[in-house]
Amino acid sequence: MKLHTVLGGGLLLVALGGHANPAEPLQAREMALAAQLRCVVCQNQTVAESHAPMAADMRREIRAQMEQGRSDAEVVAFFEQRYGAFVRYNPPWKPSTWLLWGGPFVVVTAGLLLLRRTLRRRQTPPSTLSAAQRQQVQTWLHQSDGKEQP
């Protein structure tokens, strides 16, 4: 009796698994692709995260192209052709995007070098006065003591 229950439950699970919604893989693929594209209105969110009407239009276009049988690369190429490389949330490594990828490192390196130079200048001890310069300072101080101050 127990064996029949286990087998029956297993067959039920297999039967239910076979009737899964066929749109689920397409929806998962759509959301994965939408997470790779930048919302052209918000610019700091992906198409999947954005609630802007333009992002909804972009998601509908992604879905329509996927239903036409286009691959992920073809869909991304469509949006890149229409909006430029900026639409990709992670732009590709090519000469036109080197500044995007390398710019932050250049700025940080320049900032660290400037900080190092500034700190080294502050650490240099003040130059000492020669004996003649000390005598001249003493003379000026004694002269200013003798004058009346307003």
Side-chain angles (χ1 to χ4, degrees):
M1 176 82 175
K2 193 173 190 180
L3 180 62
H4 293 296
T5 307
V6 171
L7 288 176
L11 287 174
L12 182 63
L13 286 175
V14 169
L16 289 176
H19 293 4
N21 187 358
E24 285 180 12
L26 187 64
Q27 184 177 5
R29 190 172 149 222
E30 174 192 347
M31 292 312 289
L33 198 54
Q36 295 176 17
L37 298 173
R38 182 184 313 273
C39 176
V40 294
V41 175
C42 305
Q43 296 185 2
N44 63 345
Q45 290 181 322
T46 64
V47 172
E49 297 169 336
S50 178
H51 297 292
M54 182 66 174
D57 291 342
M58 290 174 79
R59 285 191 296 269
R60 277 193 292 276
E61 183 64 32
I62 290 169
R63 171 70 93 158
Q65 289 195 18
M66 293 175 110
E67 287 173 349
Q68 292 173 5
R70 294 207 171 117
S71 69
D72 290 357
E74 290 173 328
V75 174
V76 170
F78 168 81
F79 282 102
E80 194 170 353
Q81 180 185 12
R82 181 172 274 186
Y83 300 108
F86 179 76
V87 78
R88 295 178 94 176
Y89 211 72
N90 290 321
W93 178 258
K94 58 184 182 180
S96 64
T97 60
W98 286 353
L99 185 61
L100 285 173
W101 286 105
F105 297 109
V106 171
V107 169
V108 167
T109 302
L112 289 173
L113 290 174
L114 181 65
L115 178 66
R116 179 180 172 195
R117 192 181 95 198
T118 303
L119 291 176
R120 281 196 173 184
R121 283 187 179 175
R122 286 186 182 177
Q123 289 178 352
T124 57
S127 60
T128 57
L129 299 175
S130 66
Q133 290 172 331
R134 275 194 222 112
Q135 181 60 36
Q136 189 176 12
V137 169
Q138 291 298 329
T139 305
W140 287 339
L141 287 174
H142 288 303
Q143 287 176 355
S144 66
D145 285 342
K147 292 183 181 176
E148 291 186 25
Q149 306 225 347

